[in-house]
Amino acid sequence: MTCSVSSVRSEHQTKFPSKSTMNRFDELVISLKDALGESSGLTSDDVDVDLLTEAMARYKSNIAEWQQYAMADASRGYTRNLVDEGNGKSNLLVLVWTPGKGSPIHDHGNAHCLMKILRGNLTETRYDFPDNDETKPMKVKSQAVHEEGSVAYMADELGVHRVSNEGSDFAVSLHLYTPPNVAKGGCHIFDPKTSKTSHVPKCGYYSAFGRLLKE
């Protein structure tokens, strides 16, 4: 099946179904929200990364369960599609990656990032945080290909990274960011040739809760 713009995009209801009609993806969203708890005393230190990783790893991807959120746009490197805001403690997003494109090198605003591959493969390149010299190329730490079904973890203490789709078809991933610092305060991106840093004040959404947003 080709994950084209028309085949991934579907607008459905924005509220979760009743328990009797809930699918496994709905159950995952609720379990992540329950694991994070209520929004109070929020810090990056109070997050149980292992628990969240296990919940995401248990989910077996089924396109019928998440396609309403997977809105693609071939003119972009990727789209950010909001699924849930986790009691104010997180942002859960479905990202759709255009073939041959990817993200800039970026940080995560002192937050945890978990990435579950729902469809295809994604290549992650990690870099050291640059020093104050903005004339040197970014230094690559590692590169890995994350296959469908796998879960990867990233945080600022591990460096910065770029994610790309080196395949010939659209890839889809589920991302949990907690706390939701980037959505509130933006992030930093880095020039791979010079290490020059720029602040992006707003990391917006292409769609929210299954509905395309007007720009």
Side-chain angles (χ1 to χ4, degrees), residues 3 40 45 54 69-70 95 100 105 144-145 151 175 181 183 187 200 209:
C3 196
S40 60
D45 296 330
E54 290 171 5
Y69 305 107
L95 272 61
I105 303 171
V145 176
V151 179
H175 294 242
N181 296 342
C187 68
V200 179
F209 313 117

Side-chain angles (χ1 to χ4, degrees), residues 119-195:
R119 187 176 191 276
N121 299 329
L122 289 173
T123 299
E124 179 192 19
T125 307
R126 295 189 178 189
Y127 304 80
D128 288 323
F129 258 103
D131 54 27
N132 294 326
D133 187 349
E134 294 189 341
T135 63
K136 297 179 180 179
M138 296 287 289
K139 183 179 179 182
V140 175
K141 294 180 65 176
S142 65
Q143 188 172 76
V145 176
H146 301 299
E147 299 180 344
E148 185 172 314
S150 64
V151 179
Y153 172 74
M154 187 59 175
D156 288 347
E157 59 264 27
L158 302 177
V160 294
H161 75 171
R162 176 179 187 268
V163 177
S164 60
N165 177 9
E166 306 299 328
S168 59
D169 199 0
F170 285 91
V172 183
S173 54
L174 180 68
H175 294 242
L176 179 69
Y177 302 99
T178 180
N181 296 342
V182 170
K184 296 179 179 180
C187 68
H188 293 89
I189 60 174
F190 305 85
D191 187 318
K193 295 181 179 180
T194 66
S195 299

Side-chain angles (χ1 to χ4, degrees), residues 15-200:
K15 295 182 179 179
F16 285 113
S18 64
K19 288 185 178 181
S20 61
T21 59
M22 192 175 295
N23 62 44
R24 294 292 302 278
F25 185 80
D26 298 329
E27 292 173 357
L28 172 62
V29 175
I30 291 174
S31 70
L32 293 173
K33 183 184 294 189
D34 289 344
L36 287 167
E38 295 299 323
S39 181
S40 60
L42 181 63
T43 70
S44 185
D45 296 330
D46 68 355
V47 174
D48 189 335
V49 173
D50 290 339
L51 180 64
L52 298 173
T53 301
E54 290 171 5
M56 294 182 79
R58 283 195 300 269
Y59 174 69
K60 185 176 181 180
S61 182
N62 181 344
I63 189 172
E65 297 176 347
W66 47 256
Q67 67 176 352
Q68 63 173 305
Y69 305 107
M71 298 188 188
D73 186 336
S75 69
R76 302 170 182 241
Y78 62 101
T79 59
R80 289 164 45 89
N81 304 282
L82 179 65
V83 176
D84 188 64
E85 293 181 305
N87 301 320
K89 295 197 73 169
S90 67
N91 292 106
L92 186 65
L93 280 70
V94 166
L95 272 61
V96 183
W97 302 86
T98 301
K101 298 183 180 180
S103 72
I105 303 171
H106 60 279
D107 67 9
H108 291 89
N110 194 32
H112 302 279
C113 171
L114 290 93
M115 177 176 72
K116 164 89 174 186
I117 312 301
L118 297 177
R119 187 176 191 276
N121 299 329
L122 289 173
T123 299
E124 179 192 19
T125 307
R126 295 189 178 189
Y127 304 80
D128 288 323
F129 258 103
D131 54 27
N132 294 326
D133 187 349
E134 294 189 341
T135 63
K136 297 179 180 179
M138 296 287 289
K139 183 179 179 182
V140 175
K141 294 180 65 176
S142 65
Q143 188 172 76
V145 176
H146 301 299
E147 299 180 344
E148 185 172 314
S150 64
V151 179
Y153 172 74
M154 187 59 175
D156 288 347
E157 59 264 27
L158 302 177
V160 294
H161 75 171
R162 176 179 187 268
V163 177
S164 60
N165 177 9
E166 306 299 328
S168 59
D169 199 0
F170 285 91
V172 183
S173 54
L174 180 68
H175 294 242
L176 179 69
Y177 302 99
T178 180
N181 296 342
V182 170
K184 296 179 179 180
C187 68
H188 293 89
I189 60 174
F190 305 85
D191 187 318
K193 295 181 179 180
T194 66
S195 299
K196 184 176 180 180
T197 305
S198 303
H199 182 247
V200 179

